[in-house]
Amino acid sequence: MTNRLAAFRQKLEGRVDLAFLPLGSTDLHYAAGLARDIPKYGVTLHPGDWLEGAWVAPGHPPVLALPRMTAEFGGRGAPEGVELRVLGDWDDPAKLVTEILAAFRLPPKPRIAVSERAHADSLIQLQALLPDATFVSATAILRELRLIKSDEEIALMREAGRRTEAAFAEVLPKLRFGMTELDVVAEVDYQMKRQDSLGPTFTTTLYNTGPEHPLMLGRRMESWKRKIGPGVSVLFDFGASHQGLCYDYGRTVSFGAPSADQIRVHGLVMQAQSVGIAALKVGATCESVDALARQVILDAGLGAGFRHRLGHGIGWDVHEPPFLTRGDTTVLQEGMMFTIEPSILQDTGFSARTEDVVVVRPGGGERLTEGFQDLLVVDH
Protein backbone atom coordinates (compact mmCIF):
# COMPACT_ATOMS: atom_id res chain seq x y z
CA MET A 1 0.00 0.00 0.00
CA THR A 2 2.89 2.38 0.78
CA ASN A 3 4.14 1.92 -2.79
CA ARG A 4 0.70 2.79 -4.20
CA LEU A 5 0.47 5.95 -2.12
CA ALA A 6 3.97 6.97 -3.22
CA ALA A 7 3.08 6.28 -6.86
CA PHE A 8 -0.06 8.38 -6.53
CA ARG A 9 1.87 11.29 -5.02
CA GLN A 10 4.29 11.06 -7.92
CA LYS A 11 1.36 11.15 -10.37
CA LEU A 12 0.17 14.37 -8.74
CA GLU A 13 3.47 16.16 -9.37
CA GLY A 14 2.99 19.07 -11.76
CA ARG A 15 -0.72 18.30 -12.20
CA VAL A 16 -2.42 19.25 -8.93
CA ASP A 17 -1.38 20.87 -5.67
CA LEU A 18 -3.40 18.67 -3.31
CA ALA A 19 -5.73 15.67 -3.41
CA PHE A 20 -8.56 14.68 -1.06
CA LEU A 21 -9.47 10.99 -0.85
CA PRO A 22 -12.51 10.43 1.41
CA LEU A 23 -12.64 7.64 3.97
CA GLY A 24 -14.76 4.78 2.70
CA SER A 25 -13.84 5.39 -0.93
CA THR A 26 -12.27 2.90 -3.29
CA ASP A 27 -9.58 5.49 -3.99
CA LEU A 28 -8.37 5.64 -0.39
CA HIS A 29 -8.64 1.87 0.05
CA TYR A 30 -6.51 1.30 -3.02
CA ALA A 31 -3.94 4.04 -2.31
CA ALA A 32 -3.49 3.68 1.44
CA GLY A 33 -5.12 0.40 2.50
CA LEU A 34 -7.87 2.07 4.59
CA ALA A 35 -10.59 -0.50 3.98
CA ARG A 36 -14.19 0.22 3.03
CA ASP A 37 -17.20 -1.17 4.81
CA ILE A 38 -20.10 -2.94 3.13
CA PRO A 39 -22.48 -0.11 2.11
CA LYS A 40 -25.37 0.71 4.41
CA TYR A 41 -28.98 1.32 3.38
CA GLY A 42 -29.38 4.34 5.64
CA VAL A 43 -26.91 7.11 6.47
CA THR A 44 -25.12 7.43 9.81
CA LEU A 45 -23.60 10.83 10.57
CA HIS A 46 -20.83 11.95 12.90
CA PRO A 47 -20.13 15.61 13.67
CA GLY A 48 -17.79 16.92 10.99
CA ASP A 49 -17.79 13.75 8.95
CA TRP A 50 -17.43 15.74 5.73
CA LEU A 51 -13.69 16.04 6.47
CA GLU A 52 -13.13 12.26 6.84
CA GLY A 53 -10.31 11.34 4.51
CA ALA A 54 -6.70 11.76 3.49
CA TRP A 55 -5.00 14.87 2.17
CA VAL A 56 -2.19 13.95 -0.22
CA ALA A 57 0.31 16.18 -2.03
CA PRO A 58 3.74 15.88 -3.63
CA GLY A 59 6.61 16.65 -1.28
CA HIS A 60 4.55 16.61 1.92
CA PRO A 61 3.58 13.79 4.32
CA PRO A 62 -0.09 12.81 3.84
CA VAL A 63 -2.59 13.78 6.54
CA LEU A 64 -5.61 11.70 7.60
CA ALA A 65 -8.43 13.69 9.24
CA LEU A 66 -11.12 11.86 11.24
CA PRO A 67 -13.92 12.79 13.63
CA ARG A 68 -13.38 11.35 17.10
CA MET A 69 -16.27 8.88 16.77
CA THR A 70 -14.83 7.46 13.56
CA ALA A 71 -11.34 7.18 15.06
CA GLU A 72 -12.49 5.72 18.39
CA PHE A 73 -15.66 3.71 17.75
CA GLY A 74 -14.79 2.91 14.15
CA GLY A 75 -11.30 1.78 15.10
CA ARG A 76 -9.74 3.89 12.36
CA GLY A 77 -6.14 5.01 12.39
CA ALA A 78 -3.46 6.24 10.05
CA PRO A 79 -1.16 3.87 8.16
CA GLU A 80 2.59 4.21 8.46
CA GLY A 81 3.90 7.53 7.15
CA VAL A 82 0.52 9.30 7.40
CA GLU A 83 -0.18 11.95 10.05
CA LEU A 84 -3.47 11.56 11.96
CA ARG A 85 -5.56 14.61 12.94
CA VAL A 86 -8.68 13.94 15.05
CA LEU A 87 -11.64 16.31 15.27
CA GLY A 88 -13.24 16.50 18.71
CA ASP A 89 -17.03 16.25 19.00
CA TRP A 90 -17.37 19.98 19.78
CA ASP A 91 -14.53 21.22 17.57
CA ASP A 92 -15.01 23.23 14.39
CA PRO A 93 -14.31 21.04 11.32
CA ALA A 94 -13.68 24.07 9.10
CA LYS A 95 -11.00 25.30 11.49
CA LEU A 96 -9.24 21.92 11.50
CA VAL A 97 -9.30 21.70 7.70
CA THR A 98 -8.02 25.27 7.43
CA GLU A 99 -5.06 24.27 9.62
CA ILE A 100 -4.40 21.21 7.48
CA LEU A 101 -4.57 23.22 4.26
CA ALA A 102 -2.17 25.84 5.66
CA ALA A 103 0.45 23.15 6.28
CA PHE A 104 0.46 22.30 2.57
CA ARG A 105 1.33 25.91 1.61
CA LEU A 106 -1.00 26.02 -1.38
CA PRO A 107 -0.64 28.65 -4.13
CA PRO A 108 -3.26 31.44 -4.40
CA LYS A 109 -5.26 29.54 -7.02
CA PRO A 110 -4.63 25.87 -6.27
CA ARG A 111 -5.70 22.83 -8.26
CA ILE A 112 -7.41 20.36 -5.93
CA ALA A 113 -8.10 16.75 -6.93
CA VAL A 114 -11.11 15.14 -5.24
CA SER A 115 -12.39 11.58 -5.53
CA GLU A 116 -15.38 11.26 -7.82
CA ARG A 117 -17.33 9.47 -5.08
CA ALA A 118 -16.74 12.10 -2.42
CA HIS A 119 -19.91 13.39 -0.78
CA ALA A 120 -21.30 16.63 -2.16
CA ASP A 121 -21.11 18.06 1.37
CA SER A 122 -17.32 17.62 1.36
CA LEU A 123 -16.93 19.44 -1.93
CA ILE A 124 -19.31 22.24 -0.89
CA GLN A 125 -17.32 22.82 2.30
CA LEU A 126 -14.01 22.77 0.42
CA GLN A 127 -15.29 25.23 -2.17
CA ALA A 128 -16.21 27.60 0.65
CA LEU A 129 -12.73 27.30 2.18
CA LEU A 130 -10.93 27.52 -1.19
CA PRO A 131 -13.06 29.84 -3.35
CA ASP A 132 -10.28 30.38 -5.90
CA ALA A 133 -9.45 26.68 -6.34
CA THR A 134 -10.01 24.60 -9.45
CA PHE A 135 -11.33 21.13 -8.67
CA VAL A 136 -10.47 18.06 -10.79
CA SER A 137 -10.89 14.30 -10.49
CA ALA A 138 -8.49 12.40 -8.23
CA THR A 139 -10.15 9.14 -9.33
CA ALA A 140 -9.12 9.70 -12.95
CA ILE A 141 -5.49 10.08 -11.85
CA LEU A 142 -5.62 6.95 -9.72
CA ARG A 143 -7.16 4.95 -12.56
CA GLU A 144 -3.89 5.34 -14.43
CA LEU A 145 -2.39 3.13 -11.70
CA ARG A 146 -5.40 0.83 -11.30
CA LEU A 147 -5.80 -0.05 -14.98
CA ILE A 148 -3.13 -2.79 -15.07
CA LYS A 149 -3.44 -5.29 -12.24
CA SER A 150 -0.35 -6.61 -10.50
CA ASP A 151 0.30 -10.31 -9.95
CA GLU A 152 -0.75 -9.78 -6.33
CA GLU A 153 -4.06 -8.22 -7.35
CA ILE A 154 -4.75 -11.01 -9.84
CA ALA A 155 -4.07 -13.59 -7.13
CA LEU A 156 -6.47 -11.81 -4.76
CA MET A 157 -9.13 -11.67 -7.47
CA ARG A 158 -8.64 -15.36 -8.19
CA GLU A 159 -9.26 -16.05 -4.51
CA ALA A 160 -12.36 -13.83 -4.57
CA GLY A 161 -13.57 -15.95 -7.48
CA ARG A 162 -12.85 -19.17 -5.63
CA ARG A 163 -14.93 -17.98 -2.68
CA THR A 164 -17.72 -16.83 -4.98
CA GLU A 165 -17.87 -20.16 -6.79
CA ALA A 166 -17.58 -22.13 -3.54
CA ALA A 167 -20.61 -20.22 -2.22
CA PHE A 168 -22.52 -21.07 -5.39
CA ALA A 169 -21.63 -24.76 -4.95
CA GLU A 170 -23.19 -24.63 -1.47
CA VAL A 171 -26.32 -22.90 -2.76
CA LEU A 172 -27.11 -25.34 -5.58
CA PRO A 173 -28.16 -28.38 -3.47
CA LYS A 174 -30.42 -26.12 -1.37
CA LEU A 175 -32.52 -24.93 -4.32
CA ARG A 176 -36.11 -26.21 -4.27
CA PHE A 177 -39.34 -25.65 -6.15
CA GLY A 178 -41.40 -23.03 -4.37
CA MET A 179 -38.52 -20.87 -3.17
CA THR A 180 -38.84 -17.15 -3.80
CA GLU A 181 -36.10 -15.05 -5.35
CA LEU A 182 -35.55 -13.48 -1.94
CA ASP A 183 -35.06 -16.95 -0.42
CA VAL A 184 -32.34 -17.68 -2.96
CA VAL A 185 -30.68 -14.26 -2.64
CA ALA A 186 -30.54 -14.63 1.16
CA GLU A 187 -28.91 -18.04 0.79
CA VAL A 188 -26.33 -16.77 -1.71
CA ASP A 189 -25.33 -13.88 0.56
CA TYR A 190 -25.14 -16.16 3.59
CA GLN A 191 -22.92 -18.66 1.78
CA MET A 192 -20.53 -15.93 0.64
CA LYS A 193 -20.06 -14.88 4.26
CA ARG A 194 -19.50 -18.52 5.20
CA GLN A 195 -16.60 -18.42 2.73
CA ASP A 196 -15.03 -15.65 4.86
CA SER A 197 -16.00 -12.88 2.47
CA LEU A 198 -16.89 -9.54 4.04
CA GLY A 199 -20.01 -9.71 1.91
CA PRO A 200 -21.36 -9.16 -1.60
CA THR A 201 -19.66 -6.56 -3.75
CA PHE A 202 -23.04 -5.46 -5.12
CA THR A 203 -26.68 -6.34 -4.52
CA THR A 204 -27.10 -10.02 -5.36
CA THR A 205 -29.52 -10.28 -8.27
CA LEU A 206 -31.68 -13.05 -9.74
CA TYR A 207 -33.90 -13.01 -12.78
CA ASN A 208 -36.29 -15.89 -13.39
CA THR A 209 -37.83 -16.16 -16.85
CA GLY A 210 -39.86 -18.44 -19.06
CA PRO A 211 -42.90 -18.42 -21.34
CA GLU A 212 -45.20 -18.36 -18.30
CA HIS A 213 -42.86 -16.23 -16.21
CA PRO A 214 -42.20 -12.83 -17.86
CA LEU A 215 -38.83 -11.19 -17.32
CA MET A 216 -39.04 -8.41 -14.69
CA LEU A 217 -36.01 -6.21 -15.32
CA GLY A 218 -35.76 -3.28 -12.91
CA ARG A 219 -38.65 -4.45 -10.69
CA ARG A 220 -36.64 -6.13 -7.97
CA MET A 221 -39.05 -5.66 -5.05
CA GLU A 222 -41.88 -7.27 -7.01
CA SER A 223 -39.82 -10.09 -8.48
CA TRP A 224 -38.32 -11.07 -5.12
CA LYS A 225 -41.77 -12.24 -4.01
CA ARG A 226 -42.29 -14.61 -6.94
CA LYS A 227 -42.06 -18.33 -6.29
CA ILE A 228 -39.85 -20.30 -8.64
CA GLY A 229 -41.06 -23.58 -10.08
CA PRO A 230 -40.68 -25.83 -13.13
CA GLY A 231 -40.42 -24.24 -16.55
CA VAL A 232 -38.20 -21.37 -15.47
CA SER A 233 -34.62 -20.32 -16.13
CA VAL A 234 -33.00 -18.56 -13.17
CA LEU A 235 -30.16 -16.15 -13.92
CA PHE A 236 -27.67 -15.53 -11.09
CA ASP A 237 -25.53 -12.37 -10.79
CA PHE A 238 -23.40 -11.92 -7.65
CA GLY A 239 -19.85 -11.69 -6.35
CA ALA A 240 -17.81 -11.93 -3.15
CA SER A 241 -15.38 -9.31 -1.88
CA HIS A 242 -11.87 -10.25 -0.81
CA GLN A 243 -9.23 -7.87 0.58
CA GLY A 244 -10.51 -4.95 -1.47
CA LEU A 245 -11.09 -6.83 -4.74
CA CYS A 246 -14.61 -7.23 -6.14
CA TYR A 247 -15.75 -10.36 -7.96
CA ASP A 248 -18.66 -10.58 -10.43
CA TYR A 249 -20.08 -13.96 -11.41
CA GLY A 250 -23.06 -15.35 -13.28
CA ARG A 251 -24.64 -18.70 -14.11
CA THR A 252 -28.01 -20.03 -15.30
CA VAL A 253 -30.11 -22.72 -13.58
CA SER A 254 -33.15 -24.49 -15.02
CA PHE A 255 -35.92 -25.26 -12.54
CA GLY A 256 -37.34 -28.46 -13.98
CA ALA A 257 -36.06 -30.44 -16.96
CA PRO A 258 -34.86 -27.92 -19.56
CA SER A 259 -36.62 -27.65 -22.89
CA ALA A 260 -34.80 -27.73 -26.22
CA ASP A 261 -35.19 -23.94 -26.36
CA GLN A 262 -33.57 -23.48 -22.93
CA ILE A 263 -30.68 -25.70 -23.92
CA ARG A 264 -30.22 -23.81 -27.21
CA VAL A 265 -30.29 -20.35 -25.60
CA HIS A 266 -27.85 -21.38 -22.89
CA GLY A 267 -25.54 -22.98 -25.42
CA LEU A 268 -25.41 -19.80 -27.50
CA VAL A 269 -24.51 -17.71 -24.46
CA MET A 270 -21.71 -20.09 -23.53
CA GLN A 271 -20.42 -20.09 -27.10
CA ALA A 272 -20.43 -16.27 -27.19
CA GLN A 273 -18.51 -16.16 -23.92
CA SER A 274 -15.91 -18.62 -25.23
CA VAL A 275 -15.36 -16.44 -28.31
CA GLY A 276 -15.10 -13.32 -26.14
CA ILE A 277 -12.55 -14.89 -23.81
CA ALA A 278 -10.40 -16.04 -26.75
CA ALA A 279 -10.55 -12.54 -28.25
CA LEU A 280 -9.44 -10.82 -25.01
CA LYS A 281 -5.81 -10.58 -26.07
CA VAL A 282 -3.10 -7.95 -26.03
CA GLY A 283 -3.46 -5.50 -28.92
CA ALA A 284 -7.17 -6.03 -29.53
CA THR A 285 -9.61 -3.22 -28.84
CA CYS A 286 -12.50 -3.31 -26.40
CA GLU A 287 -15.07 -2.86 -29.14
CA SER A 288 -13.58 -5.61 -31.32
CA VAL A 289 -13.92 -8.16 -28.49
CA ASP A 290 -17.55 -7.16 -27.99
CA ALA A 291 -18.27 -7.43 -31.72
CA LEU A 292 -16.81 -10.92 -32.07
CA ALA A 293 -18.77 -12.35 -29.13
CA ARG A 294 -21.96 -10.53 -30.13
CA GLN A 295 -21.81 -11.94 -33.63
CA VAL A 296 -22.47 -15.45 -32.28
CA ILE A 297 -25.83 -14.36 -30.92
CA LEU A 298 -26.62 -12.14 -33.93
CA ASP A 299 -26.01 -15.05 -36.31
CA ALA A 300 -28.49 -17.13 -34.32
CA GLY A 301 -31.18 -14.49 -34.81
CA LEU A 302 -31.33 -13.51 -31.13
CA GLY A 303 -29.28 -10.31 -31.23
CA ALA A 304 -32.15 -8.24 -29.81
CA GLY A 305 -31.86 -10.28 -26.62
CA PHE A 306 -28.23 -9.26 -26.04
CA ARG A 307 -29.15 -5.89 -24.57
CA HIS A 308 -25.95 -4.75 -22.94
CA ARG A 309 -22.17 -4.53 -23.39
CA LEU A 310 -20.14 -7.73 -23.35
CA GLY A 311 -18.33 -6.73 -20.17
CA HIS A 312 -16.62 -4.12 -18.06
CA GLY A 313 -13.33 -3.50 -16.36
CA ILE A 314 -13.24 -4.83 -12.81
CA GLY A 315 -10.93 -4.83 -9.81
CA TRP A 316 -11.21 -2.57 -6.78
CA ASP A 317 -14.68 -1.62 -8.01
CA VAL A 318 -17.22 -3.92 -9.60
CA HIS A 319 -17.50 -1.70 -12.66
CA GLU A 320 -14.39 0.10 -13.86
CA PRO A 321 -13.48 1.61 -17.23
CA PRO A 322 -12.75 0.64 -19.92
CA PHE A 323 -15.80 -1.24 -21.24
CA LEU A 324 -16.18 -4.01 -23.78
CA THR A 325 -18.68 -2.18 -25.94
CA ARG A 326 -19.10 -0.51 -29.30
CA GLY A 327 -17.31 2.83 -29.38
CA ASP A 328 -14.65 1.98 -26.78
CA THR A 329 -11.43 1.85 -28.78
CA THR A 330 -9.13 1.24 -25.79
CA VAL A 331 -6.28 -1.08 -26.78
CA LEU A 332 -5.97 -4.05 -24.42
CA GLN A 333 -2.80 -4.50 -22.37
CA GLU A 334 -1.67 -7.52 -20.41
CA GLY A 335 -2.96 -7.47 -16.84
CA MET A 336 -6.21 -5.66 -17.54
CA MET A 337 -9.21 -7.47 -16.05
CA PHE A 338 -12.73 -7.62 -17.47
CA THR A 339 -15.95 -9.49 -17.03
CA ILE A 340 -17.09 -11.48 -20.04
CA GLU A 341 -20.87 -11.70 -19.55
CA PRO A 342 -23.00 -12.30 -22.64
CA SER A 343 -26.69 -12.87 -22.14
CA ILE A 344 -29.90 -13.45 -24.02
CA LEU A 345 -32.80 -11.76 -22.24
CA GLN A 346 -36.26 -12.56 -23.58
CA ASP A 347 -39.32 -10.94 -22.03
CA THR A 348 -41.65 -13.89 -22.61
CA GLY A 349 -39.20 -16.67 -23.39
CA PHE A 350 -36.26 -18.42 -21.83
CA SER A 351 -33.22 -16.31 -20.98
CA ALA A 352 -29.63 -17.19 -20.05
CA ARG A 353 -26.46 -15.49 -18.86
CA THR A 354 -22.96 -16.42 -17.81
CA GLU A 355 -20.18 -14.30 -16.33
CA ASP A 356 -16.56 -14.73 -15.29
CA VAL A 357 -13.66 -12.39 -14.58
CA VAL A 358 -10.98 -12.72 -17.26
CA VAL A 359 -7.41 -11.36 -17.41
CA VAL A 360 -6.00 -10.04 -20.69
CA ARG A 361 -3.07 -12.17 -21.89
CA PRO A 362 -1.02 -12.20 -25.14
CA GLY A 363 -2.72 -15.30 -26.51
CA GLY A 364 -6.25 -14.66 -25.22
CA GLY A 365 -8.03 -14.24 -21.92
CA GLU A 366 -7.30 -16.16 -18.73
CA ARG A 367 -10.55 -16.84 -16.88
CA LEU A 368 -10.42 -16.90 -13.08
CA THR A 369 -13.46 -19.15 -12.53
CA GLU A 370 -14.19 -22.22 -14.62
CA GLY A 371 -16.88 -24.26 -12.86
CA PHE A 372 -20.51 -25.00 -13.72
CA GLN A 373 -20.23 -24.62 -17.48
CA ASP A 374 -23.28 -26.80 -18.25
CA LEU A 375 -26.89 -25.73 -17.83
CA LEU A 376 -27.65 -26.59 -14.22
CA VAL A 377 -30.94 -28.30 -13.29
CA VAL A 378 -33.10 -28.32 -10.17
CA ASP A 379 -35.53 -31.23 -10.32
CA HIS A 380 -37.49 -31.05 -7.03
Side-chain angles (χ1 to χ4, degrees):
M1 298 300 177
T2 303
N3 291 338
R4 290 187 193 135
L5 191 55
F8 176 54
R9 293 171 67 192
Q10 188 173 9
K11 284 280 185 183
L12 298 177
E13 189 79 49
R15 299 167 72 175
V16 299
D17 300 297
L18 183 64
F20 175 66
L21 308 181
L23 187 69
S25 67
T26 305
D27 288 341
L28 189 56
H29 193 172
Y30 173 83
L34 289 164
R36 297 160 283 175
D37 291 326
I38 293 295
K40 299 180 287 290
Y41 185 80
V43 176
T44 56
L45 296 175
H46 300 323
D49 65 352
W50 63 265
L51 60 64
E52 288 185 340
W55 303 86
V56 184
H60 193 287
V63 176
L64 177 67
L66 299 175
R68 182 196 63 83
M69 291 185 70
T70 301
E72 185 173 342
F73 294 116
R76 297 292 191 171
E80 183 179 354
V82 177
E83 178 188 351
L84 177 63
R85 298 292 301 274
V86 177
L87 176 75
D89 290 348
W90 297 277
D91 293 341
D92 180 0
K95 180 181 178 182
L96 177 58
V97 173
T98 299
E99 293 172 359
I100 292 170
L101 294 174
F104 284 96
R105 301 182 183 278
L106 300 174
K109 296 183 177 182
R111 287 176 60 82
I112 309 295
V114 178
S115 291
E116 292 174 3
R117 299 299 172 185
H119 290 296
D121 188 32
S122 299
L123 188 56
I124 290 168
Q125 298 287 349
L126 289 176
Q127 286 174 327
L129 293 173
L130 297 167
D132 295 323
T134 299
F135 291 90
V136 299
S137 170
T139 303
I141 298 172
L142 268 170
R143 280 186 182 135
E144 297 172 15
L145 299 172
R146 289 171 52 185
L147 186 64
I148 307 297
K149 275 60 181 184
S150 66
D151 290 343
E152 177 190 11
E153 289 172 299
I154 293 170
L156 289 173
M157 184 65 98
R158 192 187 305 278
E159 176 60 17
R162 187 198 67 76
R163 295 178 187 216
T164 299
E165 202 159 62
F168 188 55
E170 293 292 331
V171 168
L172 286 173
K174 296 177 172 60
L175 298 178
R176 299 285 188 276
F177 295 165
M179 296 179 79
T180 65
E181 284 193 21
L182 186 56
D183 293 332
V184 180
V185 166
E187 186 64 37
V188 170
D189 288 350
Y190 170 65
Q191 292 299 338
M192 282 193 286
K193 290 184 178 181
R194 287 196 67 221
Q195 295 297 324
D196 290 330
S197 172
L198 182 63
T201 59
F202 58 96
T203 301
T204 297
T205 303
L206 296 186
Y207 294 111
N208 57 87
T209 74
E212 308 300 323
H213 225 67
L215 183 65
M216 295 177 70
L217 287 170
R219 296 164 63 185
R220 183 170 292 141
M221 295 305 292
E222 293 177 54
S223 66
W224 273 355
K225 302 173 185 177
R226 296 201 297 180
K227 291 187 177 181
I228 309 170
V232 169
S233 287
V234 179
L235 284 55
F236 285 74
D237 188 5
F238 66 100
S241 60
H242 177 61
Q243 294 190 31
L245 277 295
C246 301
Y247 212 77
D248 197 353
Y249 182 80
R251 291 295 186 267
T252 301
V253 177
S254 172
F255 271 57
S259 67
D261 189 33
Q262 279 176 287
I263 294 170
R264 173 175 176 264
V265 167
H266 181 265
L268 285 169
V269 166
M270 297 306 296
Q271 183 183 350
Q273 190 197 42
S274 180
V275 170
I277 292 172
L280 200 73
K281 60 179 66 176
V282 173
T285 63
C286 287
E287 66 177 1
S288 71
V289 178
D290 174 89
L292 287 168
R294 190 173 301 275
Q295 195 63 47
V296 173
I297 296 174
L298 286 169
D299 288 346
L302 293 173
F306 192 176
R307 307 182 187 188
H308 53 80
R309 62 200 176 203
L310 176 64
H312 50 80
I314 189 169
W316 290 80
D317 281 317
V318 182
H319 288 188
E320 299 180 351
F323 302 98
L324 301 177
T325 190
R326 184 175 62 189
D328 194 325
T329 58
T330 303
V331 177
L332 302 183
Q333 302 175 62
E334 184 165 12
M336 289 181 172
M337 282 199 295
F338 293 89
T339 61
I340 302 288
E341 49 174 306
S343 71
I344 296 173
L345 302 173
Q346 302 190 91
D347 292 333
T348 56
F350 291 111
S351 303
R353 76 180 304 272
T354 188
E355 181 175 15
D356 295 280
V357 175
V358 183
V359 183
V360 176
R361 298 298 191 195
E366 175 193 358
R367 62 192 304 161
L368 300 185
T369 36
E370 300 184 353
F372 307 108
Q373 298 293 299
D374 296 329
L375 179 60
L376 303 161
V377 178
V378 173
D379 58 8
H380 56 283

